[in-house]
Amino acid sequence: MIKKYTFGNPIETNATVIDISETKGTLEFFERDNNTFILRLAENDIVYGLGQQVRGLNKRGWKYASNNLDNPNHEEDTLSLYGTHNFIIISGDSLFGAFFDYAGIITFDIGYTHRNLLTVTPDDDNLDVYIITGENETDIVRQFRNLTGRSYAAPKWAFGYGQSRWGYKNADDVRAVAESYRNNNIPIDSIYLDIDYMERYKDFTVDNDAFPDFSGLTAEMKKQGIRLVPIIDAGVKIEDGYDVYEEGVKQNYFCKDADGNDFVAAVWPGRVHFPDVLNSDARKWFGEKYDFLIKQGIEGFWNDMNEPAIFYTEKRLESSIEKINELAKTNMGINEYFELKDAVNSLANNPDDYKLFYHNIDGKKVRHDKVHNLFGFNMTRAASEAFDKICPNKRILMFSRSSCAGMHRYGGMWQGDNKSWWSHLLMNIQMTCNLNMVGFLYTGADMGGFGCDTTEDLMLRWLQFSLFTPLMRNHSALGTREQEVYRFDNMESCRKMIEIRYALIPYLYSEYMKAVLNDDMMFRPLGFEFHDKFSRNTEDQLLLGNEIMLAPVYTQNAEGRYVWLPEEMMFVRMRSLNDYETEILPSGHHYISAKLDELVFFIRRNKAIPLCSAARCTDEIDMSTLHLFGYENSSYELYDDDGISKNISRENISTII
Ligand code: MIG
């Protein structure tokens, strides 16, 4: 059951799709003190949720802020990442979910200030709170998802392996990557284009010197089964003669400053304006621009910098420079040195800069910080609504960096600028589950790590987890060690892992689509299914569908790991599709060995998964080679369809034995 409580006069977030009549009277479970919602936690209560945040499945013991931020340094004490997902589940003495539907900045203190107190504090007093009670955690998630709408369905090709790197500069770089994958017989479905494909980082342009025949290249790649996936940034470059800029100015489609001038910030293209995607006309206009690339054969995009990220604003840059000049005149001591550092460090993503511009939400002037967390959501919505018109019966791949609850209807998301750290592999494992709760089923992290140099063992272990996530993309930052899998001594092992991925695609796609259709999670914490104390405390094992339990190895030099089995399961240790062992293990604690080149996972009791033969790309997957792998005499409910049209329905499910 869902109860809605309205406080003050909330700004519409479009997070929900169902109208629930307001419950008058006092809010259940929580007490209130001014703006703050207070909940006393019992000693054994687990707090799940919050989607994209650092730390584990149980969020207890830290504080978090929903304040979308471009922050490439995800550490244990990070307060905000790129997305806002204000949904939590309390599971223990009581069991309920709470969704704080709010567009502004809101903080969650989950046993940080006081171990047994959860407090939620929005910036102001205008929000809707939904309290969801249900039979169990999965049921509560399902109701939340029903409230917020069906998840985005990606095309099947988006389940193939993707190679990306910030630094591919021209058509030949792209060709070289494709060739290396093909020559080494490593399956691949997509190559991502980062900002360098554009002309001076201008959205909806292609650099004609670097990519002389862009649609030719798109077609050439497609022939090999490879799709190119270009990036789109939030800021529109200020440049005379650039149509997107000129149209936006003329039609008043950009965010305005306090004086009504188009607001100026600086990001990759230099000085930019932000399209006012919260305005329905501007949203429509911006979305239609994607057609420029669709017309050239593009079938997928990733939206970046849409928190929106700001490197600096002109005003702040001026005052920082003034400050620095002043300091330079002094005989600089230590305090002045720190002031100088601050003057530079406070330039990017400064919270005060988000108070300097305004949206025109269909006639109403709203200051950006009040709706900050909705920007990425609406940029992605702009694209998705336009795709519906441009190609009504074709699925376009779309995923975004910034997001908010509700955006899952329009696209997926990647997990942002992680690092090549083992701890970020664990974060990826946990975040995948947390994002599934809030409907982001199409997700994955930058495999191998985005920032800093990866190592070949980290790459391989990361592959062994990512081969289960819908988005399986190897991506890395400019200046870091190159990490295309063919660059490593262990390429053979990487290839075998990617082949296992392709054999799993019928299963992964099926589980994904069933989760889309049923408002379910594809990945769940063990504690959602098993309520014994070990399962509830397990932070590094996940259930995938009803058939698989994952227990990835995520520490360096490990030759195995400890696993808790709440029930008997089939242990699978796989070096390649035809080189593996299985063993039935009884419930209990186990140490499983897993050498670096060995993928380990579990099939649940009396279950089996479909596997097909490996393929060069998803288009070449041969469904006639499908066979069941797992417990004997079991069956599986397979969802399958053409993978590209929007004819999605439960009628596409059949039982295979
Ligand atoms: O300021 O386009 O998260 O994936 O490679 C960095 C360059 C901008 C951030 C994205 C990352 C991408 C990078 N972008």
Side-chain angles (χ1 to χ4, degrees):
M1 183 159 92
I2 307 183
K3 284 190 184 166
K4 174 183 179 179
Y5 301 85
T6 298
F7 299 89
N9 195 5
I11 294 173
E12 179 58 67
T13 64
N14 288 295
T16 62
V17 294
I18 291 176
D19 276 329
I20 288 179
S21 52
E22 196 188 320
T23 300
K24 303 280 180 193
T26 45
L27 178 67
E28 268 179 299
F29 301 110
F30 292 90
E31 288 159 42
R32 290 201 83 202
D33 180 10
N34 293 317
N35 276 0
T36 300
F37 298 86
I38 304 167
L39 178 76
R40 221 153 275 287
L41 295 172
E43 199 48 43
N44 65 331
D45 279 347
I46 293 177
V47 181
Y48 292 110
L50 292 186
Q52 190 181 33
Q53 284 289 358
V54 296
R55 302 205 174 210
L57 299 174
N58 186 350
K59 300 313 266 195
R60 231 174 137 163
W62 189 239
K63 55 189 171 169
Y64 311 86
S66 291
N67 183 11
N68 292 357
L69 182 67
D70 170 16
N71 178 2
N73 297 309
H74 314 164
E75 318 244 13
E76 241 178 84
D77 65 347
T78 292
L79 298 180
S80 299
L81 292 172
Y82 312 85
T84 288
H85 314 108
N86 299 327
F87 174 57
I88 53 175
I89 297 175
I90 317 297
S91 160
D93 279 6
S94 53
L95 175 68
F96 67 95
F99 174 44
F100 298 85
D101 189 4
Y102 184 62
I105 293 146
I106 179 166
T107 58
F108 293 79
D109 178 331
I110 309 187
Y112 163 75
T113 305
H114 302 285
R115 172 100 196 115
N116 291 328
L117 225 49
L118 182 157
T119 58
V120 183
T121 312
D123 253 8
D124 65 33
D125 216 0
N126 304 300
L127 77 165
D128 290 321
V129 179
Y130 295 84
I131 300 292
I132 309 177
T133 47
E135 278 164 36
N136 50 40
E137 294 86 351
T138 308
D139 176 43
I140 290 168
V141 167
R142 212 173 276 138
Q143 293 185 58
F144 169 73
R145 299 272 297 287
N146 187 261
L147 174 69
T148 53
R150 179 184 277 186
S151 291
Y152 160 77
K156 200 194 254 181
W157 65 263
F159 283 71
Y161 176 83
Q163 180 61 58
S164 181
R165 179 172 172 86
W166 178 14
Y168 299 154
K169 290 179 310 299
N170 53 43
D172 284 340
D173 284 355
V174 171
R175 285 194 184 97
V177 173
E179 219 177 273
S180 303
Y181 274 93
R182 288 292 174 240
N183 290 347
N184 288 301
N185 286 315
I186 306 169
I188 186 166
D189 262 86
S190 50
I191 296 178
Y192 286 75
L193 301 178
D194 209 315
I195 45 177
D196 296 302
Y197 81 89
M198 293 184 251
E199 182 188 279
R200 293 189 293 285
Y201 305 139
K202 286 174 346 198
D203 279 339
F204 315 115
T205 68
V206 171
D207 181 339
N208 288 324
D209 295 326
F211 293 85
D213 174 15
F214 190 72
S215 36
L217 181 71
T218 308
E220 178 189 324
M221 288 295 136
K222 181 84 183 277
K223 245 190 245 152
Q224 303 180 38
I226 297 174
R227 266 106 168 162
L228 299 181
V229 184
I231 196 170
I232 304 292
D233 275 13
V236 170
K237 185 174 177 66
I238 299 175
E239 185 183 280
D240 285 338
Y242 168 36
D243 56 347
V244 183
Y245 160 71
E246 288 188 341
E247 281 170 32
V249 169
K250 200 164 135 215
Q251 317 254 38
N252 285 313
Y253 286 159
F254 293 127
C255 293
K256 303 280 185 190
D257 65 17
D259 303 326
N261 301 314
D262 292 328
F263 176 70
V264 181
V267 212
W268 288 110
R271 295 160 72 245
V272 300
H273 294 321
F274 291 127
D276 188 357
V277 285
L278 273 70
N279 174 284
S280 54
D281 293 330
R283 190 162 59 235
K284 186 163 169 287
W285 164 76
F286 192 77
E288 282 164 1
K289 296 290 166 201
Y290 286 76
D291 197 26
F292 168 78
L293 290 154
I294 293 178
K295 278 207 178 80
Q296 301 184 66
I298 294 301
E299 297 174 62
F301 300 90
W302 46 312
N303 280 347
D304 191 20
M305 304 298 276
N306 50 358
E307 293 70 29
I310 295 179
F311 290 167
Y312 65 83
T313 55
E314 299 226 301
K315 272 195 190 153
R316 193 168 304 281
L317 184 66
E318 268 167 38
S319 61
S320 284
I321 291 174
E322 251 169 55
K323 176 94 209 168
I324 291 166
N325 285 338
E326 243 171 64
L327 289 168
K329 284 182 210 140
T330 65
N331 185 7
M332 250 205 275
I334 284 298
N335 289 338
E336 289 74 20
Y337 160 76
F338 280 110
E339 277 181 53
L340 178 124
K341 257 180 101 171
D342 273 355
V344 176
N345 290 342
S346 59
L347 283 173
N349 308 317
N350 191 305
D352 287 336
D353 285 343
Y354 292 115
K355 294 181 180 154
L356 297 179
F357 61 102
Y358 294 82
H359 296 273
N360 167 2
I361 306 185
D362 302 327
K364 213 169 143 218
K365 183 173 163 187
V366 182
R367 203 172 73 185
H368 175 78
D369 61 313
K370 303 278 173 203
V371 288
H372 175 65
N373 294 328
L374 298 180
F375 193 92
F377 172 174
N378 281 283
M379 178 183 173
T380 299
R381 179 179 170 197
S384 164
E385 286 175 344
F387 299 158
D388 285 342
K389 288 195 203 107
I390 298 165
C391 27
N393 197 26
K394 181 174 173 181
R395 280 178 258 167
I396 300 285
L397 172 62
M398 162 51 67
F399 60 87
S400 173
R401 188 170 76 176
S402 183
S403 66
C404 191
M407 198 201 85
H408 68 288
R409 301 193 298 273
Y410 300 101
M413 54 181 281
W414 91 98
Q415 295 170 15
D417 293 346
N418 60 7
K419 294 238 167 89
S420 299
W421 292 344
W422 292 85
S423 60
H424 278 183
L425 170 53
L426 175 60
M427 185 176 70
N428 179 194
I429 294 165
Q430 295 165 326
M431 199 187 282
T432 300
C433 222
N434 297 339
L435 288 174
N436 266 239
M437 277 177 223
V438 286
F440 289 91
L441 301 175
Y442 191 81
T443 182
D446 289 350
M447 185 170 59
F450 174 75
C452 67
D453 294 336
T454 201
T455 55
E456 65 171 66
D457 55 344
L458 178 59
M459 191 71 228
L460 186 51
R461 287 301 194 198
W462 213 314
L463 268 170
Q464 290 166 1
F465 173 65
S466 301
L467 66 81
F468 293 101
T469 62
L471 172 63
M472 184 193 193
R473 183 179 75 143
N474 180 342
H475 181 50
S476 57
L478 194 68
T480 60
R481 179 180 187 178
E482 291 176 308
Q483 63 185 42
E484 293 80 9
V485 297
Y486 51 79
R487 301 199 186 268
F488 300 110
D489 291 342
N490 64 5
M491 176 188 80
E492 278 297 293
S493 308
C494 292
R495 176 163 52 68
K496 287 172 182 164
M497 291 304 136
I498 298 173
E499 283 174 355
I500 297 172
R501 159 62 169 220
Y502 276 74
L504 275 164
I505 286 177
Y507 174 68
L508 297 173
Y509 182 68
S510 166
E511 284 307 311
Y512 170 80
M513 291 303 291
K514 286 194 288 187
V516 168
L517 285 165
N518 300 328
D519 292 337
D520 259 332
M521 298 170 68
M522 183 173 168
F523 296 90
R524 283 172 302 151
L526 214 53
F528 272 32
E529 179 101 8
F530 302 98
H531 290 101
D532 63 274
K533 70 170 186 223
F534 297 117
S535 297
R536 280 172 59 82
N537 270 301
T538 301
E539 287 275 335
D540 59 356
Q541 298 173 211
L542 304 180
L543 297 171
L544 196 191
N546 291 317
E547 291 75 22
I548 289 182
M549 186 186 75
L550 299 176
V553 179
Y554 56 87
T555 48
Q556 191 157 30
N557 303 317
E559 295 226 331
R561 56 161 288 170
Y562 288 94
V563 177
W564 163 245
L565 299 190
E567 62 180 14
E568 177 201 294
M569 292 189 196
M570 179 187 281
F571 172 50
V572 184
R573 184 191 292 113
M574 225 179 219
R575 284 164 294 277
S576 76
L577 274 174
N578 41 35
D579 181 13
Y580 59 85
E581 300 83 61
T582 63
E583 185 187 347
I584 305 287
L585 295 180
S587 72
H589 297 282
H590 296 271
Y591 180 85
I592 54 165
S593 72
K595 299 228 173 64
L596 185 54
D597 63 347
E598 293 179 326
L599 167 70
V600 290
F601 65 96
F602 293 83
I603 306 253
R604 290 179 60 187
R605 204 169 108 88
N606 294 330
K607 305 280 186 196
I609 56 167
L611 287 180
C612 65
S613 307
R616 274 183 0 135
C617 58
T618 48
D619 288 346
E620 290 178 16
I621 286 178
D622 179 3
M623 292 298 280
S624 73
T625 62
L626 220 56
H627 67 278
L628 284 182
F629 179 87
Y631 280 84
E632 269 173 48
N633 303 321
S634 33
S635 60
Y636 175 70
E637 299 280 298
L638 179 80
Y639 176 96
D640 194 31
D641 61 16
D642 62 19
I644 194 81
S645 76
K646 292 191 178 165
N647 305 325
I648 295 165
S649 92
R650 289 194 187 84
E651 277 161 34
N652 299 331
I653 300 177
S654 59
T655 305
I656 54 172
I657 26 179

